[in-house]
């Protein structure tokens, strides 16, 4: 014979606790879902910002705000040289007609020397590199180290930044 469970009190408590537990679990799952959505949105925003930070700037970006380009990579194609300054430096003519200083790393200098190419004002170039802070001390160092030819120092453009070029191709 089967004995009855012995009371309706346990059954009533079970009927009350079970739905409460289901509601609590459902609430917890909903909370986890909203937290997960926020984390995904924050990750997407950080990823978009990182992609933007990594994207290459061009001559128009550099002309518009050279300080905003600080630390960024710049790729400029088909821009005119304002003036050649020496074996390792020249000035670009940006879209706003401003001259912009460029110092070449050793590899582009060697390639230009091997091909017997000198950069002159009016030449069209492809240039890529990173933007750094520029000031009078750096300008003087260019002259002292021979990157700029003697007597050409006054032609170095005034700018808050300069491009350290890792690639230069004269068209």
């Amino acid at each position: 014979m089967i004995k009855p469970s012995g009371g309706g009190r346990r059954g009533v408590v079970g009927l009350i606790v079970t739905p409460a537990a289901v509601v609590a679990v459902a609430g917890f799952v909903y909370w986890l879902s909203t937290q997960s959505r926020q984390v995904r949105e924050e990750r997407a925003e950080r990823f978009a910002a990182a992609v933007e930070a990594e994207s290459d700037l061009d001559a128009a970006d550099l002309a518009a705000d050279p300080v905003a380009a600080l630390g960024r990579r710049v790729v400029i194609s088909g821009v005119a040289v304002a003036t050649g300054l020496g074996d390792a430096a020249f000035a670009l003519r940006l879209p706003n007609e401003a001259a912009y200083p460029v110092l070449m790393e050793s590899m582009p200098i060697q390639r230009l020397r091997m091909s017997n190419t000198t950069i002159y004002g009016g030449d069209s170039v492809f240039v890529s590199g990173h933007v750094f802070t520029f000031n009078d001390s750096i300008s003087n160092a260019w002259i002292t180290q021979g990157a700029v030819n003697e007597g050409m120092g006054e032609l170095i453009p005034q700018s808050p930044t300069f491009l350290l070029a890792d690639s230069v191709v004269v068209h």
Side-chain angles (χ1 to χ4, degrees):
M1 168 180 236
I2 299 179
K3 283 180 156 181
S5 65
R9 219 169 87 146
R10 276 194 211 167
V12 171
V13 171
L15 288 176
I16 294 173
V17 171
T18 302
V22 169
V23 168
V25 168
F28 181 68
V29 168
Y30 175 76
W31 178 81
L32 283 176
S33 173
T34 59
Q35 294 301 310
S36 174
R37 185 178 320 118
Q38 288 175 351
V39 168
R40 284 192 308 270
E41 289 171 0
E42 289 171 4
R43 283 184 183 166
E45 288 172 8
R46 282 195 307 267
F47 179 75
V51 167
E52 176 63 26
E54 288 297 316
S55 65
D56 294 339
L57 300 177
D58 62 12
D61 297 322
L62 194 56
D65 191 0
V67 175
L70 196 59
R72 304 272 308 270
R73 182 160 180 78
V74 176
V75 176
I76 302 172
S77 181
V79 68
V81 172
T83 185
L85 298 170
D87 290 337
F90 58 94
L92 292 175
R93 174 79 51 210
L94 295 180
N96 63 357
E97 296 300 313
Y100 188 79
V102 177
L103 179 68
M104 292 183 279
E105 290 183 354
S106 61
M107 190 59 77
I109 294 169
Q110 291 174 6
R111 286 185 186 135
L112 290 171
R113 284 182 182 159
M114 287 172 44
S115 66
N116 252 354
T117 303
T118 303
I119 296 177
Y120 295 105
D123 286 346
S124 178
V125 293
F126 166 88
V127 179
S128 66
H130 285 84
V131 176
F132 294 93
T133 300
F134 192 62
N135 56 38
D136 290 338
S137 297
I138 294 171
S139 176
N140 291 335
W142 289 11
I143 296 166
T144 304
Q145 294 176 359
V148 174
N149 291 342
E150 190 174 318
M152 300 292 283
E154 63 273 356
L155 296 177
I156 298 173
Q158 295 298 313
S159 174
T161 61
F162 76 96
L163 179 64
L164 180 59
D166 54 31
S167 178
V168 177
V169 178
V170 180
H171 299 292

